[in-house]
Amino acid sequence: MAVLEQDTAATPARASLMNDPKIRGIFYQVLLVAFLVLSGWFIVSNTIVNLERQNIASGFGFLDNTAGFGIIQTLVPYAETSSYGQALFAGFLNTLLVAVVGIALATVLGFVAGIARLSPNWVISQIAYWYVEILRNVPLLLQIFFWYFAVLRAVPGKRDKWSLFDTFHLNIGGLRAPKPLFESGSDIVFYALLAAIAATVFIARWARKRQEATGQQFPSLLTGFGLILGLPLITFFVMGMPIGLEHPVFNETGPMLQRGFQLNVGINVIPEFLALTVALAIYTSAFIAEIVRAGIQAVSHGQTEAAHALGLRQGPTLRLVIIPQAMRVIIPPLTSQYLNLTKNSSLAVAIAFPDLVSVGGTVLNQTGQAIEVIAVWMMVYLSLSLLTSMFMNWYNQRMALVER
Amino acid sequence: MANADLAHVRSEEAPTLPAPVSTTGAIGWMRKNLFSSVGNTILTFIGIWLAYSIIAPIIQFAFIDAVWTGDDRQACLATQEGQTVGACWAYVKAYLPQFIYGRYPLEERWRVDVVFVLLVFTMVPLLIPSLPRKGLNAILFLVVFPVVAYFLLTGLVIGDNVILPIVQTAQWGGLLVTLVIAVTGIVASLPLGIALALGRRSQMPIVKLVSIIFIEFWRGVPLITVLFMASVVLPLFLPDGVTFDKLLRVLIGVTLFASAYMAEVVRGGLQAIPKGQYEGAQALGLRFWPMMYLIILPQALKMVIPGIVNTFIGLFKDTTLVLIVGMFDLLGQIQSSFSDPNWSTPTQSYTGYLFATAIFFVFCFGMSRYSIFMERKLHTGHKR
């Protein structure tokens, strides 16, 4: 050791400090930081000068001012007298609504198409193939326009309708559906549902423990179904059917102007929401279908054969062997598709559905607070994607293969 | 007992019989793939019915009931009660120049044509793996072509001599804008993306941090907000008097956005290069940049060609968003043509959207096929 140290100490000083990777690294990084600080300062100073020249006050104070514009669909109480902040919040909730409904629809469609693609039936797999190829190779905005300007403009006008089972009605004003009415006693039905879910979770845990200990199986899936469906249903009838339906009212007679659907009776899904959600769900489902197909194909055929050799039937083979392994491959890209759907919901602005970007655009035009509005947009979407990647990291850690 | 006359012992091989008709040829295929079980048979018929009920109306609309010629909306209106009129292709024919060039001046449109031809002649050979001289070709496509195309499209004035008259970008439109944004976005984001990917894998902590923040920021926000930022906020960032063309602002936004995605694609390629390649290059005495330029990047970039093509497909589709900030790409041009009263008919919007769908599908599907072809080709190279 001592000899080695002496040797290094004895080597002559290097010709140039720049040849030392460490010093060179520090030098380049200092250069980068200086460049970033300088360009940041350049941008900030220019912006301040420009804002002063245009008489725009910076800061988020404008969020408390009265908005003065209406929003056609809100999940929270909102009026024209509400503030800009409340308007943006209502828009954010609409974004979330589109995202949640779209994700649910896209997942169902995507899994169906992905599994159909792998079907041994040639016709079915070809249909799935062209479904995927056509939908993912046509721009989303074009699809939204198609649904909004072509399909939903071809439905009957205000004084007419198309009906399905006499419950769901479609016309130019959007989709009308019955609205559930919660009367006294309905909260007990709700509690029954919660109790059933809790019991199902408890039973599933107990069943797994028992199976691990004794090898005896318990049909926890069926029991769960029975509990979650049955318990609320029984309470519903015991309490004397406290949940009713408020059907939309359609006036076919009377003065011409009052014909059509009565306002504020039943649920009205506006056509902007319909077009956006359907287009987003269908577009994303094509990508999900490919992910599902790749995920299932990633499980080697040997796994199926081994499971069959162990005596598992087709059903348990799928449920216990194939799907858990496929999900490991499917879930990470699936989450990023969910995130894509959420980000793509910003295209709402093209058909004036009041989502975060659309409402923000109106605020931007009214106040001229471009930087602040865009900062709000970006912060919201960035935190959503940060949350998603945190979930992914957690999932990947949980699901990582434990190797010897 | 003599065994000699036992008649049932064969003395020669039995002739091979052909496989049963029911297992070979078209019938065998159908039995295996369409009618293997009761459930499968039902599925087949449901599938055929589904396909028929979707395809038949489209063919009826696009071809059988379609109107192919005409000068205005009268041609595409039902002349008698009960007549169904399909696609109004006469309208597409009348508007085709606008869909391709936008409002580019009539007498200057040859310049756009030349750019299209140059694009095909520099890009297609680059995409065909068996053609030689990829390095020269890449320089032609990535350096020479953009410069030539820039002057051809915007115009060239030297001193007082007008060699090519200036055409404002506000007059550009249609497929021209779509291609300009998509091609510029991809060509400009490639070097930026490579730099970011190298930065993300760098040993220097600050460089790495800056690259990660940059990449994750652009990947985390929707393109629309980026476009709004480019068209509304970017002018605020610049000193008074310095203004950018609107198209250029959008191009900057799209490039930054695409470079983050490109960086992730390139990083995938860099990660796939075995460590031995780096060590081998270092053992030969190569410094960082020669090592990257001569050893690592050629292998990594070749490996990620499918990823780059997929990014390009995404970008090509995303160019439609520029219509939201008031520019007219192909979709924007089609959308704005709907307001023309001369061609306003009930089937006009369907025709326009069908046309746009066909164009985008041909471009994107073709590119995705190419990407799959490259993937297969590159995959076999790694099987030993």
Side-chain angles (χ1 to χ4, degrees):
Chain A
M1 278 305 281
V3 180
L4 263 175
E5 269 165 29
Q6 255 181 1
D7 268 9
T8 36
T11 39
R14 294 190 184 240
S16 161
L17 278 176
M18 278 312 284
N19 282 343
D20 186 339
K22 229 180 219 164
I23 291 172
R24 205 169 48 189
I26 292 171
F27 173 71
Y28 284 138
Q29 294 188 64
V30 168
L31 218 63
L32 179 71
V33 170
F35 170 73
L36 287 178
V37 168
L38 271 181
S39 45
W41 177 78
F42 175 73
I43 287 175
V44 170
S45 64
N46 280 330
T47 311
I48 291 171
V49 170
N50 283 326
L51 287 181
E52 264 174 21
R53 201 163 39 83
Q54 296 180 10
N55 274 329
I56 302 174
S58 57
F60 288 90
F62 74 99
L63 288 178
D64 294 328
N65 298 354
T66 307
F69 60 89
I71 297 180
I72 43 176
Q73 180 195 308
T74 52
L75 292 176
V76 284
Y78 173 83
E80 287 184 18
T81 49
S82 304
S83 69
Y84 284 123
Q86 282 169 315
L88 286 173
F89 183 66
F92 171 63
L93 287 185
N94 279 341
T95 294
L96 284 189
L97 180 70
V98 169
V100 169
V101 177
I103 283 172
L105 264 175
T107 310
V108 173
L109 283 173
F111 271 76
V112 169
I115 291 166
R117 180 81 185 87
L118 290 171
S119 161
N121 189 312
W122 184 81
V123 175
I124 297 295
S125 107
Q126 282 299 305
I127 290 177
Y129 174 77
W130 288 105
Y131 173 86
V132 168
E133 288 300 337
I134 291 176
L135 288 170
R136 71 172 181 172
N137 282 318
V138 173
L140 176 60
L141 190 60
L142 175 54
Q143 297 192 30
I144 293 177
F145 279 171
F146 171 74
W147 286 101
Y148 186 62
F149 289 115
V151 175
L152 290 177
R153 290 281 162 93
V155 298
K158 267 200 156 69
R159 321 259 173 261
D160 206 354
K161 59 176 176 153
W162 284 341
S163 297
L164 184 70
F165 307 127
D166 217 25
T167 332
F168 301 99
H169 315 278
L170 188 70
N171 73 6
I172 198 88
L175 184 78
R176 310 264 171 169
K179 182 165 139 189
L181 278 182
F182 299 103
E183 289 152 26
S184 67
S186 58
D187 47 343
I188 298 190
V189 179
F190 184 67
Y191 292 139
L193 181 70
L194 282 187
I197 292 174
T200 308
V201 171
F202 178 75
I203 288 175
R205 280 205 185 149
W206 167 80
R208 194 192 302 150
K209 239 180 223 163
R210 193 180 74 154
Q211 192 184 350
E212 277 166 6
T214 65
Q216 280 178 305
Q217 286 189 342
F218 182 81
S220 51
L221 200 70
L222 268 179
T223 327
F225 261 124
L227 269 175
I228 289 176
L229 276 180
L231 203 58
L233 216 62
I234 291 168
T235 359
F236 176 69
F237 284 112
V238 168
M239 295 304 297
M241 299 200 270
I243 301 174
L245 288 177
E246 183 189 70
H247 284 275
V249 177
F250 187 77
N251 298 327
E252 277 181 83
T253 52
M256 203 58 193
L257 281 175
Q258 282 175 19
R259 285 187 203 175
F261 284 104
Q262 239 174 48
L263 280 177
N264 302 326
V265 182
I267 292 177
N268 182 15
V269 187
I270 56 173
E272 288 82 10
F273 178 84
L274 272 184
L276 182 67
T277 315
V278 168
L280 274 175
I282 289 183
Y283 180 74
T284 314
S285 76
F287 291 89
I288 293 179
E290 280 299 281
I291 291 168
V292 169
R293 181 183 68 91
I296 294 176
Q297 277 178 339
V299 182
S300 77
H301 194 60
Q303 297 285 333
T304 317
E305 286 167 355
H308 285 175
L310 283 173
L312 291 182
R313 290 185 190 199
Q314 193 62 41
T317 306
L318 262 180
R319 208 174 66 238
L320 300 172
V321 179
I322 309 295
I323 291 178
Q325 296 188 68
M327 283 319 255
R328 197 195 295 279
V329 184
I330 289 173
I331 293 216
L334 190 65
T335 12
S336 83
Q337 282 306 324
Y338 288 169
L339 187 61
N340 274 348
L341 188 145
T342 313
K343 284 194 290 175
N344 282 336
S345 71
S346 57
L347 294 189
V349 68
I351 54 170
F353 173 75
D355 81 322
L356 178 68
V357 171
S358 189
V359 171
T362 315
V363 175
L364 194 156
N365 282 337
Q366 284 196 2
T367 61
Q369 306 277 358
I371 298 175
E372 290 82 0
V373 169
I374 288 176
V376 168
W377 285 344
M378 291 191 161
M379 250 154 31
V380 167
Y381 286 107
L382 276 179
S383 15
L384 284 178
S385 69
L386 215 66
L387 276 178
T388 314
S389 52
M390 266 160 63
F391 166 77
M392 293 244 295
N393 285 343
W394 170 81
Y395 179 84
N396 284 339
Q397 258 169 23
R398 217 178 89 101
M399 280 296 176
L401 283 176
V402 184
E403 285 176 335
R404 274 165 295 174
Chain B
M1 287 287 273
N3 291 339
D5 57 343
L6 276 179
H8 63 272
V9 175
R10 278 191 190 278
S11 54
E12 70 227 18
E13 217 176 282
T16 29
L17 293 173
V21 187
S22 59
T23 61
T24 57
I27 296 174
W29 182 86
M30 274 164 66
R31 277 181 75 133
K32 187 163 167 281
N33 290 305
L34 300 181
F35 307 110
S36 58
S37 65
V38 179
N40 222 342
T41 311
I42 296 171
L43 265 186
T44 302
F45 284 118
I46 293 177
I48 290 174
W49 171 79
L50 195 69
Y52 176 78
S53 56
I54 292 170
I55 295 170
I58 294 177
I59 290 178
Q60 180 86 17
F61 176 82
F63 300 108
I64 298 172
D65 288 342
V67 178
W68 299 89
T69 52
D71 299 321
D72 57 8
R73 64 190 291 265
Q74 289 303 326
C76 298
L77 289 176
T79 44
Q80 67 233 29
E81 195 69 21
Q83 185 199 3
T84 50
V85 180
C88 184
W89 294 122
Y91 139 75
V92 172
K93 211 188 271 174
Y95 260 97
L96 197 59
Q98 281 216 30
F99 292 164
I100 296 175
Y101 308 102
R103 295 190 296 114
Y104 210 86
L106 263 181
E107 60 276 15
E108 304 293 336
R109 283 185 181 167
W110 62 271
R111 280 153 56 178
V112 181
D113 294 332
V114 171
V115 169
F116 285 160
V117 170
L118 284 179
L119 174 68
V120 170
F121 272 91
T122 51
M123 192 171 77
V124 171
L126 195 63
L127 296 179
I128 300 173
S130 58
L131 290 181
R133 297 205 167 252
K134 283 281 177 278
L136 180 71
N137 202 333
I139 291 173
L140 273 180
F141 176 62
L142 298 176
V143 182
V144 178
F145 168 71
V147 174
V148 174
Y150 172 77
F151 285 116
L152 268 174
L153 290 176
T154 54
L156 182 59
V157 178
I158 301 174
D160 289 337
N161 305 327
V162 178
I163 299 169
L164 293 167
I166 302 281
V167 178
Q168 298 297 328
T169 53
Q171 291 177 290
W172 301 13
L175 193 61
L176 171 64
V177 162
T178 300
L179 284 174
V180 163
I181 294 174
V183 172
T184 317
I186 223 71
V187 169
S189 69
L190 194 60
L192 207 54
I194 293 173
L196 284 168
L198 291 176
R200 195 169 181 166
R201 284 171 62 79
S202 166
Q203 306 281 333
M204 299 181 254
I206 296 178
V207 173
K208 188 172 177 175
L209 186 71
V210 169
S211 305
I212 290 179
I213 291 176
F214 186 93
I215 293 171
E216 294 305 328
F217 174 78
W218 292 106
R219 271 161 46 93
V221 296
L223 182 56
I224 292 226
T225 58
V226 176
L227 291 177
F228 268 113
M229 188 160 121
S231 62
V232 183
V233 179
L234 200 59
L236 289 178
F237 289 167
L238 297 169
D240 192 15
V242 179
T243 47
F244 270 162
D245 185 74
K246 190 171 189 183
L247 180 68
L248 187 59
R249 293 203 302 257
V250 165
L251 282 177
I252 292 172
V254 166
T255 304
L256 292 177
F257 185 78
S259 65
Y261 286 84
M262 195 62 93
E264 287 300 275
V265 170
V266 174
R267 185 166 74 111
L270 290 176
Q271 274 173 344
I273 306 288
K275 213 169 175 226
Q277 295 288 328
Y278 292 88
E279 289 165 351
Q282 279 162 353
L284 283 174
L286 293 180
R287 280 160 171 248
F288 180 78
W289 286 110
M291 170 175 85
M292 283 300 157
Y293 175 67
L294 295 170
I295 313 282
I296 307 298
L297 282 180
Q299 299 184 66
L301 289 183
K302 194 180 136 194
M303 218 178 272
V304 295
I305 290 175
I308 295 176
V309 175
N310 287 340
T311 314
F312 185 71
I313 297 175
L315 194 59
F316 190 80
K317 286 187 294 177
D318 281 346
T319 53
T320 50
L321 302 199
V322 297
L323 81 88
I324 292 170
V325 290
M327 291 181 56
F328 294 102
D329 74 316
L330 180 60
L331 184 59
Q333 208 65 249
I334 290 175
Q335 188 75 13
S336 71
S337 74
F338 293 158
S339 54
D340 179 4
N342 282 335
W343 284 102
S344 147
T345 62
T347 59
Q348 188 194 17
S349 63
Y350 290 96
T351 312
Y353 291 139
L354 190 63
F355 177 71
T357 304
I359 298 280
F360 278 108
F361 181 75
V362 167
F363 271 93
C364 297
F365 185 67
M367 286 187 284
S368 78
R369 291 282 93 186
Y370 172 75
S371 153
I372 291 171
F373 157 76
M374 281 310 284
E375 216 165 300
R376 289 216 179 109
K377 196 176 159 60
L378 295 171
H379 196 66
T380 48
H382 285 269
K383 270 186 199 155
R384 298 222 173 95

